[in-house]
Amino acid sequence: MAITPLLTVADLTKSFRVRGRRLYAVRQANLELGAGETLGVVGESGSGKSTLGRCILRLLVPDSGRVVFDGTDLVRLAKRDLRIRRRDMQMVFQDPLSALNPRFTVGRNVMDPLIVHRMGTRKEMLARVEAMLERVGLSRSHAQAYPFELSGGQQQRVMIARALILNPKLVVCDEPLSALDVSVQAQIMTLLQELQRDWGLSYIFISHNLASVGYMSTRVAVMYLGEMVERAAVDDLFDRPRHPYTRMLLDSVLNLPESAAARAPLVTIPGEVPSPLALPSGCSFHTRCPFAEARCRLSRPPLREVAPGHWAACHLA
Amino acid sequence: MGLGMGLAPDTLLDVRGLEVVFAQPDGPVYAVNGASFHVRRGEWLGILGESGSGKSVSLLSILGLLGDNGRVTAGEAWFDGEDLLRLPERHLRTIRGRRIGVVFQSVSAGLNPFLRVGAQVMEPMLQHHFCGKAEARQRALALLAEMGIPDPETRFHSFPFELSGGMRQRVMTAVALACDPDLLIADEPTTALDTTVQVQVLRVLRDACARRRMATIMVTHDIGVAANVCDRVLVMYAGMVMEVCPIDEFIERPAHPYTLALRASHLDVRHRRKPLVSIPGTAPVLREPPRGCPFAERCAFAADVCRRERPPLMPLAEPAAAAGTGAPSDRHWVACHRAKEVVALGDHAVVDRR
Amino acid sequence: MSSVPSLIHPVPSLVFRRRSAWRRFVRSKLSVAGLVWLTLIAAATAFGPWLAPHRPTDMDFMHANEGPSWQFPFGTNNLGQDLFSMVLYGIRYSMVIAVVATAVAFLVGAVIGLAAGMRGGWVDHVLMRFTDFMFAFPGFYFAMILLVTLGRGMPSLILAIGVTQWAGFARLIRGLVLTMRDGDLVESGHAIGASTWYIATRYVFPNIVNSIIVYTAFTMANMMNQEAMLSLIGFGPELPVVSFGTLMAMGATYDLGYTYLMYIPTSIFILTLMSLVAVGDGLQEMLSPKGAVK
């Protein structure tokens, strides 16, 4: 971990108004991200992982908390300064077809960040775009195509080219693989890793898929109902999970068995995620937790360091 | 082509030489190119493939649910003595929903947003005159309970939008099972669900099928799902059957380079340092029927013969050690000119060849 | 972290062939025919008084009730008035009403639709309840009442037609803005640091303008129809001013022997409506990037 991290998120909370009620999407999230690191954020739908990603980039304004990126608190930054700051932090969206401008060619979509930030002449910009397209595994002739003419994997490459054309320091990848076929997912992950290695990028890799998070990340945070329930280095978290929810998530992954006798028993803890509009008292996981005790219903366990660098929000961890 | 597969007496559905072509504005697309497969009573067959492999199209064409621009150009689909591909729509309708239940990936395609859950589960029973209204109600409640829906009496009166994705998928399964079908066709039934809910739904499905001795064909793109729940797995690519074998063979003795490539690109939470091998290129959209092997251009094993001749689906020889066990020799079928070399190398094949 | 040699082969150079916008429009023969016809109509609107061989009010009893001839291309009526000249003036009157009323309806609708869509909340709620009310309102009777109250003439006719048509624009534009506002595309624009103005003009507007233009063509056809119907039942302009509706009404009252008095203006009117629709379709084809792909 770097001494001064690139990104520090402290006590970040974000709520929405839903039919007159408050929905807490993220509650008091804390994290740090060093240069060149990848923090995986994993959780089921409704866990608040995408909201957290958007708050970090201030595409959503948090209710409270701090997002200190490279020395500045983005939450308090004026709109004008924020727009300039965006050069250093970009986003890769889940569905490239909806996040790329259908009226623009691929080339214009990738060039757009350069245009917005007035980076050089048209000719210089075009050269950068063509180099970038080739870097992400497309050809310069793809610049003339419209996004819908490309395959899903190619569209995601365009999305990545657009996010990286400004040489950002931080890229938030929000479920960048979930719209893709398995073999294409592998291609995109390989590409993201190469780019990170070559340019020293920092990623926040948001996914519901534990396997891809495990592959991409150096550290992992697990979210449940808007709370960060566990956070640790990837091997600590996957091999020695301390929170019952993390354990349950890992157990529910269907791996390729080593032999026919070793197939998954298809056993998982019953029940579903409760509505975020009616949060359980105490530990929000106690309604599904097989180890829940009386105190779990009464008091909310704080995220505490249960082993060096390993944080878990569980009374029993 | 694979027609020699010994037909066991309990074969429920037998598809032979299926070909489907889609008419697109810029010319025909060959979606299914001579696919043959069968499923037995009580058996769970998984069809594994990526998007565009023809896995869903094969099943939709059997059900007579292809869109206007899709056409079956060849093949037979024998279901309990009748060729589904030659039945009039009127007759097919008495089979669909009655003897063959269908579960779709997208719940919005399968459930009516304006009808209460209970009414939707009862509907196929009433429509097919399966039973009277009072009995249908009882059965619907029992089905909802069997599907693991808590408090079915209350949920009976809910609308689909009031339920979570997992609950809706359970309701849709209850609808599919309403008339006690002989065959259940499930198209990516758990793809849109979270991992924990996916396991719950698969468990409920598997138990329900076992209880009824019902045959199930499940389409999936997830090798983990296929390997953990199916009895037999069929791998499809470019509308052709690449490999079909029982689950133990699928897990322990994969014989097609494409199957190996799928395994290699599958990430494992336990082996996170496993080198990730991506298959170069993308799956083809066939503008003409494939001449050679459609996987040849992405295949590390491809030889000249692969580009020239379409490999037939052939039985794979049993391993030497098992030769004396009396196991049937036609358990494992594979369409690859170089299957013998591939099966000998196993998972090393993909990595070593790079 | 294990990293894997990239197995991506060099990507072949591809050619994406394009059709120009004009070629896309021209692809539909019907749209071209519509455009040709509308050009003629536009010329008649602009230069009608100079093109007309006679003044429409001039009576020539020597040539009353005559069929088409070189002197009177569309023939004359029982007062010896030249139908060709009357049609030219009628086109001018009806087109001006349709264009101005459409513009009024668009402006009102755009302001209300944008405000409702962008602001949301109670503003949206109030504006849209009002819009829905207007949308469901029997507009034709409302127009009649307005004309009776305000008196006949062009301004009240424009108001009467336009005031009932803005609701469609408002609903359309609000819906389009809403689908864009919380969508990935706008967020993607913010993410690269674009200004709100940049996003509105480069991301939102180009993606909704297509639907608006097409809807405008259809609305204009609808406006002309309303004007004609109102004139037909006697709420149109008073003679000597003529519109399509009054011409058709005039033709309908004549003896059966002179049916061309009705058929000619009616045919021109119907052709104009059909052309508007055809051009609307052609624009849709032209403006969609999907149409640009060969």
Side-chain angles (χ1 to χ4, degrees):
Chain A
M1 176 114 259
I3 299 162
T4 43
L6 178 70
L7 175 79
T8 309
V9 174
D11 288 326
L12 187 144
T13 296
K14 173 70 187 170
S15 65
F16 299 98
R17 274 182 73 88
V18 178
R19 276 171 262 122
R21 285 195 283 176
R22 281 254 153 243
L23 185 156
Y24 281 89
V26 178
R27 289 181 290 160
Q28 288 164 0
N30 290 284
L31 60 87
E32 282 183 354
L33 180 71
E37 250 198 331
T38 300
L39 175 75
V41 180
V42 69
E44 296 179 279
S45 43
S47 62
K49 55 189 190 300
S50 281
T51 307
L52 174 65
R54 282 167 166 76
C55 285
I56 289 173
L57 293 181
R58 219 184 108 175
L59 291 168
L60 291 171
V61 184
D63 301 0
S64 60
R66 282 180 301 134
V67 178
V68 181
F69 173 65
D70 219 6
T72 23
D73 185 355
L74 298 178
V75 179
R76 274 155 199 66
L77 209 57
K79 269 228 167 94
R80 276 180 67 102
D81 301 329
L82 177 72
R83 277 181 40 216
I84 296 164
R85 215 76 192 79
R86 289 200 182 283
R87 277 182 216 168
D88 295 329
M89 47 179 203
Q90 290 290 319
M91 174 138 168
V92 172
F93 288 80
Q94 170 175 9
D95 176 10
L97 199 53
S98 70
L100 295 172
N101 193 336
R103 297 270 153 188
F104 287 174
T105 60
V106 162
R108 176 68 205 269
N109 265 298
V110 176
M111 195 189 285
D112 226 24
L114 298 176
I115 297 174
V116 163
H117 293 283
R118 301 208 175 82
M119 310 289 263
T121 65
R122 200 84 182 175
K123 219 172 138 194
E124 290 163 0
M125 290 194 286
L126 194 65
R128 276 179 77 171
V129 167
E130 287 180 340
M132 179 55 84
L133 285 178
E134 283 178 350
R135 184 63 197 81
V136 299
L138 298 167
S139 79
R140 51 183 59 198
S141 61
H142 279 107
Q144 268 86 56
Y146 284 99
F148 70 88
E149 290 179 271
L150 306 184
S151 70
Q154 290 173 325
Q155 287 166 3
Q156 197 55 282
R157 289 171 195 274
V158 176
M159 187 80 240
I160 291 170
R162 175 179 157 102
L164 296 190
I165 191 97
L166 289 168
N167 279 324
K169 295 177 179 155
L170 169 71
V171 181
V172 173
C173 304
D174 184 17
E175 299 267 11
L177 310 172
S178 61
L180 306 173
D181 267 324
V182 199
S183 67
V184 184
Q185 289 186 1
Q187 293 173 3
I188 297 293
M189 279 190 283
T190 308
L191 174 66
L192 284 171
Q193 288 197 335
E194 283 175 4
L195 293 167
Q196 175 171 49
R197 188 190 56 207
D198 294 354
W199 295 347
L201 301 169
S202 301
Y203 289 143
I204 290 186
F205 188 86
I206 299 168
S207 178
H208 68 283
N209 182 335
L210 280 119
S212 60
V213 166
Y215 187 78
M216 289 294 296
S217 313
T218 36
R219 286 185 309 124
V220 178
V222 181
M223 292 191 70
Y224 184 78
L225 271 178
E227 268 179 283
M228 209 165 268
V229 294
E230 187 161 8
R231 203 180 71 208
V234 62
D235 290 340
D236 288 338
L237 192 116
F238 276 69
D239 298 335
R240 291 169 292 279
R242 300 295 287 268
H243 197 285
Y245 177 64
T246 311
R247 238 175 280 169
M248 176 179 134
L249 266 186
L250 282 165
D251 286 345
S252 68
V253 175
L254 295 176
N255 292 305
L256 202 54
E258 256 109 43
S259 70
R263 296 215 285 173
L266 296 188
V267 180
T268 186
I269 297 170
E272 293 186 9
V273 184
S275 163
L277 285 168
L279 289 173
S281 63
C283 170
S284 48
F285 187 58
H286 84 254
T287 53
R288 300 170 76 194
C289 182
F291 311 108
E293 299 174 353
R295 59 176 163 159
C296 301
R297 278 179 281 278
L298 297 173
S299 74
R300 184 176 154 194
L303 190 67
R304 63 194 168 89
E305 194 162 17
V306 291
H310 195 139
W311 299 68
C314 177
H315 291 305
L316 306 159
Chain B
M1 267 224 309
L3 298 187
M5 266 186 242
L7 264 199
D10 58 352
T11 298
L12 181 66
L13 174 74
D14 184 26
V15 177
R16 295 167 176 232
L18 181 69
E19 292 181 14
V20 180
V21 180
F22 281 93
Q24 298 286 2
D26 45 351
V29 170
Y30 292 80
V32 182
N33 302 292
S36 301
F37 56 91
H38 69 273
V39 63
R40 296 174 175 185
R41 286 180 196 277
E43 182 186 48
W44 190 317
L45 174 72
I47 300 188
L48 179 65
E50 296 180 275
S51 53
S53 62
K55 54 191 195 304
S56 298
V57 172
S58 305
L59 296 177
L60 289 177
S61 61
I62 293 166
L63 294 167
L65 294 176
L66 280 182
D68 287 340
N69 59 347
R71 203 161 51 87
V72 176
T73 49
E76 301 158 22
W78 294 95
F79 176 75
D80 212 12
E82 289 176 298
D83 183 357
L84 297 178
L85 298 179
R86 274 160 196 79
L87 282 184
E89 167 65 19
R90 178 174 43 84
H91 194 158
L92 200 56
R93 223 177 286 142
T94 63
I95 294 181
R96 233 171 24 217
R98 167 70 187 83
R99 302 202 51 205
I100 303 180
V102 189
V103 179
F104 293 102
Q105 170 183 0
S106 142
V107 179
S108 55
L111 290 180
N112 180 338
F114 302 110
L115 270 184
R116 290 176 199 279
V117 160
Q120 306 208 44
V121 182
M122 285 167 65
E123 192 189 289
M125 296 187 256
L126 302 178
Q127 178 131 34
H128 292 287
H129 307 292
F130 183 79
C131 58
K133 204 161 178 182
E135 198 192 335
R137 195 190 143 83
Q138 285 313 308
R139 283 183 55 89
L141 283 171
L143 274 165
L144 290 177
E146 188 187 354
M147 290 303 112
I149 294 174
D151 196 7
E153 286 279 358
T154 315
R155 286 303 171 208
F156 193 88
H157 299 286
S158 301
F159 285 100
F161 72 87
E162 296 173 288
L163 305 179
S164 69
M167 286 299 151
R168 281 194 293 241
Q169 198 54 288
R170 291 165 200 258
V171 170
M172 201 150 83
T173 312
V175 175
L177 296 181
C179 295
D180 255 334
D182 300 305
L183 173 65
L184 178 74
I185 289 181
D187 190 353
E188 305 265 11
T190 58
T191 301
L193 305 176
D194 280 319
T195 19
T196 55
V197 183
Q198 163 169 287
V199 171
Q200 295 169 2
V201 170
L202 284 174
R203 174 62 181 264
V204 160
L205 250 176
R206 195 180 66 178
D207 291 351
C209 294
R211 219 170 280 133
R212 292 168 172 75
R213 246 192 122 245
M214 183 174 61
T216 305
I217 303 181
M218 179 178 67
V219 168
T220 180
H221 70 278
D222 187 335
I223 198 169
V225 170
N228 280 295
V229 301
C230 300
D231 299 322
R232 246 174 356 116
V233 178
L234 182 152
V235 180
M236 248 184 136
Y237 185 81
M240 284 172 62
V241 177
M242 293 278 138
E243 180 166 17
V244 52
C245 60
I247 191 66
D248 54 325
E249 292 278 298
F250 179 77
I251 293 171
E252 292 158 26
R253 219 164 66 99
H256 198 286
Y258 179 60
T259 313
L260 292 175
L262 281 181
R263 290 167 64 100
S265 53
H266 176 78
L267 289 169
D268 196 315
V269 289
R270 298 159 307 179
H271 310 294
R272 292 180 302 280
R273 299 293 180 278
K274 182 184 89 167
L276 176 63
V277 178
S278 49
I279 317 173
T282 45
V285 176
L286 295 178
R287 293 297 180 171
E288 51 189 84
R291 231 178 319 142
C293 173
F295 187 59
E297 58 181 282
R298 303 172 74 189
C299 179
F301 284 83
D304 284 345
V305 62
C306 303
R307 295 181 193 96
R308 225 172 33 236
E309 281 173 43
R310 214 197 271 196
L313 192 61
M314 299 266 283
L316 182 76
E318 289 286 310
T325 58
S329 63
D330 62 350
R331 282 165 23 102
H332 192 152
W333 294 68
V334 57
C336 178
H337 291 299
R338 309 192 61 186
K340 260 192 213 133
E341 299 152 67
V342 177
V343 75
L345 282 167
D347 279 332
H348 302 291
V350 185
V351 181
D352 290 356
R353 290 232 148 204
R354 302 295 180 187
Chain C
M1 181 145 320
S2 61
S3 134
V4 175
S6 178
L7 300 169
I8 320 283
H9 301 310
V11 184
S13 187
L14 305 167
V15 180
F16 294 94
R17 289 187 295 168
R18 292 282 173 267
R19 279 190 202 96
S20 69
W22 175 244
R23 291 275 300 279
R24 276 178 265 157
F25 186 86
V26 167
R27 212 151 45 128
S28 157
K29 303 270 180 296
L30 210 58
S31 305
V32 177
L35 189 66
V36 170
W37 180 258
L38 285 188
T39 312
L40 289 177
I41 294 293
T45 308
F47 309 114
W50 293 275
L51 293 174
H54 310 270
R55 276 198 295 174
T57 45
D58 281 356
M59 292 180 247
D60 184 350
F61 292 105
M62 301 289 287
H63 296 284
N65 287 334
E66 266 185 24
S69 65
W70 280 111
Q71 201 186 348
F72 304 102
F74 290 172
T76 59
N77 65 6
N78 60 339
L79 302 173
Q81 290 167 319
D82 176 31
L83 185 60
F84 181 63
S85 304
M86 285 200 289
V87 164
L88 282 176
Y89 276 84
I91 287 173
R92 186 180 168 87
Y93 190 86
S94 294
M95 288 306 284
V96 167
I97 286 185
V99 169
V100 176
T102 304
V104 168
F106 171 77
L107 282 177
V108 177
V111 167
I112 291 184
L114 279 172
M118 297 301 286
R119 289 295 301 275
W122 68 268
V123 177
D124 181 33
H125 193 78
V126 170
L127 286 178
M128 285 332 279
R129 289 299 78 74
F130 180 52
T131 305
D132 286 345
F133 175 74
M134 285 306 287
F135 196 73
F137 203 79
F140 193 70
Y141 302 104
F142 187 61
M144 274 167 38
I145 293 166
L146 261 180
L147 282 170
V148 171
T149 333
L150 300 175
R152 289 152 72 180
M154 191 184 259
S156 33
L157 208 49
I158 288 173
L159 189 67
I161 300 168
V163 88
T164 54
Q165 292 285 318
W166 63 262
F169 276 107
R171 281 166 61 117
L172 175 78
I173 290 169
R174 169 185 176 266
L176 292 170
V177 169
L178 274 190
T179 54
M180 299 287 301
R181 193 189 64 180
D182 296 329
D184 282 356
L185 189 59
V186 167
E187 196 166 46
S188 165
H190 283 301
I192 61 166
S195 64
T196 307
W197 171 250
Y198 189 89
I199 293 170
T201 52
R202 312 300 208 290
Y203 284 55
V204 179
F205 187 70
N207 284 295
I208 67 174
V209 69
N210 181 351
S211 315
I212 296 176
I213 288 180
V214 173
Y215 186 81
T216 306
F218 294 133
T219 304
M220 220 166 112
N222 194 6
M223 297 278 191
M224 293 188 61
N225 217 349
Q226 289 233 7
E227 183 275 325
M229 297 227 283
L230 284 168
S231 300
L232 208 60
I233 58 170
F235 288 96
E238 285 177 82
L239 286 170
V241 180
V242 283
S243 78
F244 263 128
T246 48
L247 281 174
M248 285 190 276
M250 190 197 294
T253 56
Y254 284 112
D255 291 343
L256 285 177
Y258 306 103
T259 41
Y260 58 86
L261 284 178
M262 182 173 130
Y263 286 152
I264 289 175
T266 309
S267 312
I268 294 174
F269 178 70
I270 290 173
L271 272 174
T272 310
L273 293 193
M274 284 167 54
S275 298
L276 274 170
V277 175
V279 169
D281 279 341
L283 284 174
Q284 184 144 36
E285 175 74 5
M286 184 174 103
L287 293 170
S288 154
K290 295 210 162 116
V293 177
K294 264 192 186 168

